[in-house]
Amino acid sequence: MPIDPAVAVGAELPELKFSWTSSDVLLYHLALGATELRYVYEEGLAVLPTFGVVAPRFHETAPPVVSFPGVNVDLARVLHGTQEIAAHGPIPAEGQAVLRTRITDVWDKGTAAVIVQESTAVAPDGTVLYTTRSSIFARGEGGFGGERGPSNRVELPGREPDAVIETPTLPQQAHLYRLCGDRNPLHADPGFARAAGFDRPILHGLCTYGVVCKAVVDAFLDGPEQVVSFGARFAGVVFPGETLRTSVWRDGSRLVLTTSSADRPVLADAVLLSR
């Protein structure tokens, strides 16, 4: 059985020690398409909080493996479901930390399974830098009799958005973003993409996540250090070269948003909280 919830839920993954430099942050920002000086120059470098999601595995060069206690799934069946990061303060431009991760839930969606992980990054002095929560959607792995889990839907305000932001992506965006530690061939290899059910390689969901976070920060906040948390559900795919269209509603420190590409929803149930 590829997924055994009795073994998976509550399992702690091995601790992961990692470090990063300003060069890693600069590359990440460039892979998101950043051109502004505060994102692409080491003097006064402002770090987007979404960097924390990729920092632990930034230097990996092998394709990811979906193998955890009680979980062993073919990579071609897996899509990113949701992602959230809560920053306990501005992420420094360089540093080191230990990542502690556990599997919190395994949900049965019938035709698929959803595996939820929660991770905490802790600096050497014991300071908690940030916490992430993510889920992966494993197609064809459901039907094991588990609970479906909560919906976590975010209602959009019943009025026109306060802003609509259009952000072009580059034809080579996925190739750039692969240098940030995610070498899943789904984003580069046409044959692998077809085997996974797509006409051509798609953009990393976390690239879209980072691009949208940056766009909203730049439009509504004074800088990325103001972000408390940002979470979203991946609702569809983006093909490199398409333009992202993000509608944003402001409610005090809470920004509710939704993103589409070529009239397809790509980010949903998205909320950015600011200080």
Side-chain angles (χ1 to χ4, degrees), residues 36-62:
E36 299 85 351
L37 196 62
R38 67 177 175 180
Y39 296 123
V40 300
Y41 183 48
E42 58 272 18
E43 295 297 328
L45 181 60
V47 184
L48 284 165
T50 50
F51 174 74
V53 175
V54 303
R57 294 176 174 82
F58 198 87
H59 298 287
E60 292 189 359
T61 58

Side-chain angles (χ1 to χ4, degrees), residues 120 137 146 182 248:
T120 302
F137 190 83
D182 188 340
V248 188

Side-chain angles (χ1 to χ4, degrees), residues 14 35 46 93 105-106 119 151 164 175 190 193 210 246:
T35 59
D105 296 291
V106 176
S119 301
S151 66
V164 177
H175 298 299
T246 302

Side-chain angles (χ1 to χ4, degrees), residues 74-262:
D74 182 353
L75 182 62
R77 292 178 175 267
V78 171
L79 292 173
H80 208 138
T82 61
Q83 182 65 58
E84 180 180 3
I85 184 165
H88 299 264
I91 296 176
E94 59 181 38
Q96 52 185 310
V98 172
L99 191 74
R100 298 174 180 140
T101 302
R102 66 188 183 95
I103 300 174
T104 60
D105 296 291
V106 176
W107 305 120
D108 186 350
K109 300 297 185 180
T111 59
V114 174
I115 300 105
V116 184
Q117 297 182 34
E118 186 172 279
S119 301
T120 302
V122 183
D125 65 359
T127 300
V128 177
L129 299 175
Y130 56 85
T131 301
T132 65
R133 185 175 175 86
S134 63
S135 69
I136 58 174
F137 190 83
R139 294 172 294 175
E141 301 295 345
F144 51 82
E147 297 182 11
R148 285 191 59 85
S151 66
N152 296 320
R153 297 288 183 182
V154 175
E155 292 293 329
L156 297 177
R159 57 181 172 84
E160 291 297 308
D162 294 298
V164 177
I165 308 166
E166 293 197 348
T167 313
T169 65
L170 301 170
Q172 70 272 31
Q173 195 99 46
H175 298 299
L176 285 168
Y177 193 82
R178 293 183 78 242
L179 301 179
C180 299
D182 188 340
R183 301 296 180 92
N184 188 337
L186 176 63
H187 310 293
D189 185 335
F192 189 96
R194 285 192 296 270
F198 301 101
D199 292 337
R200 57 191 186 277
I202 63 175
L203 189 62
H204 303 69
L206 284 182
C207 184
T208 300
Y209 176 77
V211 168
V212 170
C213 180
K214 175 187 175 299
V216 174
V217 166
D218 292 347
F220 284 87
L221 306 180
D222 293 330
E225 66 279 356
Q226 289 189 293
V227 177
V228 174
S229 65
F230 177 48
R233 176 174 61 87
F234 300 102
V237 301
V238 177
F239 292 101
E242 293 182 340
T243 295
L244 302 175
R245 182 179 175 87
T246 302
S247 299
V248 188
W249 293 262
R250 184 162 204 165
D251 180 16
S253 61
R254 186 173 184 261
L255 296 167
V256 178
L257 56 122
T258 181
T259 300
S260 62
S261 177

